[in-house]
Amino acid sequence: MTRSRKGSSVFCVGLALQDTILTLDRIPDRAAKVYAKGRREVGGGPAATAAVTVARLGGHASIAARTGEDNIGATIRDEFEAAGVDTAWLRAFPGIQSSGAVVLVDSGGERLIVAYADPELPSAANWLEPEDWGDAVLCDLTWPEGALRGLNAAQAAGIPSVLDADISRHAAGTVAAIVEAAGHVIFSRPGLTQFTGTESMEEGLRIARRPSHIFVGVTDGADGLFWLEDGELRNAPPPSVDVVDTTGAGDAFHGAFALALAHGRPIADAIVFSNTVAALKCTRPGGRAGLPDTAALCDFAPELDLDWLMVGA
């Protein structure tokens, strides 16, 4: 892996898929036939969109993910390469359908996602052997073997690791092993509830925390990030924006958080930075199209000290 500069490299492991995004006035709450107002095709997936976020913000991003050897897989690869993401560890498997999702986005920017992954997609990760895992590793829960390989490698290398802990189809024990292996775990609100069995955010964070963790938090949409500090529940709300589309906001948060840690920023700075990136993403449609670059971020939040993003650029 060739890095752009020290402190800017994030290795992302997890899901890469193709999203069909349909916009409509209201997401149906029962079986019905409705007509969409717009349609877009764009790459998605938690780790994948986090990687594009890192690249958009001037960092060096690598993606380790699995696709089919089909047209959708080729499209996914082409989009990564156009975004400047290193695809050396993006593997296409013959006879497999690439993952995909249909995303319904309503007039308020909220979304409903229906995803598909080929059950025959190979799960082994023994082929994932980069010489250099970069300055931070980010994983999601969709590919347990890949996530554990990346998180364990980060621990061995002494670099930060970030887990995007959303809801999962995998067994509770498998998810628990991945959560324990990560240094920084940031759940979605549904992901925390599924993992801990409680609707209480504070209780859930207490249950989820492991002695090995450096940081455990949970994102809760417009209310931002919550975490425990000195035994108390803390909250960092994002900047107020006019929301157009929330698709990819959580992925952008995780990518920005990992990039900040890769640069050696304190967690407090990483939280503010990630909240700002995610909020700005919500002001534009599309999970990828709405991702801000460094110039847009500086214009949006001139009060933030972002000189560290420019170091060595």
Side-chain angles (χ1 to χ4, degrees):
M1 181 177 67
T2 303
R3 298 201 210 168
S4 56
R5 60 187 187 271
K6 179 65 178 174
S8 70
S9 185
V10 180
F11 200 106
C12 300
V13 183
L15 178 64
L17 78 167
Q18 187 74 1
D19 284 337
T20 298
I21 302 175
L22 302 175
T23 56
L24 60 169
D25 291 326
R26 184 175 63 86
I27 296 172
D29 56 7
R30 56 185 174 81
K33 181 178 180 179
V34 296
Y35 289 94
K37 299 168 64 176
R39 171 181 169 176
R40 299 187 305 279
E41 299 283 343
V42 65
T49 300
V52 176
T53 301
V54 170
R56 194 72 58 85
L57 293 170
H60 183 274
S62 294
I63 182 67
R66 303 160 298 159
T67 71
E69 204 173 73
D70 54 14
N71 290 337
I72 292 176
T75 298
I76 290 171
R77 181 180 294 274
D78 289 346
E79 186 172 350
F80 276 134
E81 293 178 349
V85 175
D86 188 336
T87 59
W89 296 98
L90 178 65
R91 176 161 288 194
F93 293 91
I96 296 296
Q97 284 186 306
S98 294
S99 299
V102 175
V103 183
L104 304 183
V105 181
D106 69 16
S107 58
E110 292 301 319
R111 67 199 189 283
L112 172 68
I113 302 174
V114 181
Y116 172 77
D118 192 326
E120 300 302 318
L121 187 65
S123 61
N126 57 342
W127 52 270
L128 182 55
E129 296 180 325
E131 293 182 3
D132 186 353
W133 288 87
D135 303 302
V137 171
L138 179 147
C139 301
D140 62 37
L141 288 173
T142 61
W143 179 22
E145 292 83 355
L148 286 171
R149 201 168 186 89
L151 295 172
N152 290 334
Q155 185 178 34
I159 59 175
S161 61
V162 177
L163 176 64
D164 181 343
D166 201 353
I167 58 174
S168 174
R169 299 182 300 159
H170 299 291
T174 299
V175 174
I178 300 170
V179 168
E180 186 159 355
H184 304 76
V185 183
I186 302 178
F187 291 89
S188 66
R189 184 70 184 273
L192 182 64
T193 298
Q194 183 190 54
F195 182 68
T196 63
T198 177
E199 294 284 347
S200 168
M201 193 181 300
E202 183 171 349
E203 182 183 0
L205 288 170
R206 295 188 192 281
I207 293 171
R209 189 170 184 88
R210 304 291 189 266
S212 58
H213 288 154
I214 298 168
F215 181 82
V216 179
V218 54
T219 56
D220 192 24
D223 291 328
L225 183 73
F226 292 81
W227 72 98
L228 293 175
E229 185 175 311
D230 298 327
E232 299 293 330
L233 186 66
R234 309 292 187 186
N235 171 236
S240 178
V241 296
D242 293 327
V243 174
V244 173
D245 184 359
T246 62
T247 305
D251 307 333
F253 183 101
H254 288 84
F257 194 88
L259 179 61
L261 296 184
H263 276 277
R265 304 304 299 174
I267 287 177
D269 289 356
I271 292 171
V272 174
F273 174 64
S274 305
N275 262 339
T276 306
V277 170
L280 185 53
K281 182 263 139 298
C282 292
T283 64
R284 295 181 59 193
R288 298 270 178 88
L291 295 173
D293 59 17
T294 304
L297 193 62
C298 290
D299 289 342
F300 177 72
E303 72 280 3
L304 292 184
D305 173 14
L306 296 177
D307 289 346
W308 56 270
L309 269 182
M310 318 297 181
V311 173

